[in-house]
Amino acid sequence: MGYVYATSACFGCGRIFSYNPNKVPSVRVKDEREPICADCVVRANPVRIKNGLEPIVVLPGAYEPCEENEL
Ligand SMILES: [Zn+2]
């Protein structure tokens, strides 16, 4: 059994980070899911709440590898 990480640049800050592609928080940009790193979630949530939006909920394991068979 293998483990899989997805790695790409965060949409918010541009930092390369690794995540579980099934669980990572993301925003929709032009019908693409753009992943958001943990730091940006922390930064974005107070702004979202102020604007009357639901805060982004980070699922357990969102920034950990997922099992190969979950893909
Ligand atoms: Zn970020």
Side-chain angles (χ1 to χ4, degrees), residues 7-8 10 12 18 32 41:
T7 302
S8 61
C10 169
S18 300
E32 298 279 331
V41 171

Side-chain angles (χ1 to χ4, degrees), residues 5-71:
Y5 255 134
T7 302
S8 61
C10 169
F11 181 73
C13 66
R15 189 169 63 97
I16 302 293
F17 72 113
S18 300
Y19 53 88
N20 179 327
N22 292 332
K23 295 180 178 173
V24 70
S26 62
V27 292
R28 251 185 197 287
V29 181
K30 296 176 190 153
D31 283 343
E32 298 279 331
R33 286 183 69 220
E34 300 284 354
I36 302 286
C37 76
D39 291 347
C40 284
V41 171
V42 169
R43 268 200 296 272
N45 274 346
V47 178
R48 290 179 64 87
I49 292 165
K50 211 175 85 185
N51 292 332
L53 298 169
E54 291 290 312
I56 298 166
V57 177
V58 179
L59 298 172
Y63 298 105
E64 289 161 23
C66 70
E67 288 181 19
E68 207 169 37
N69 60 14
E70 281 178 36
L71 286 180

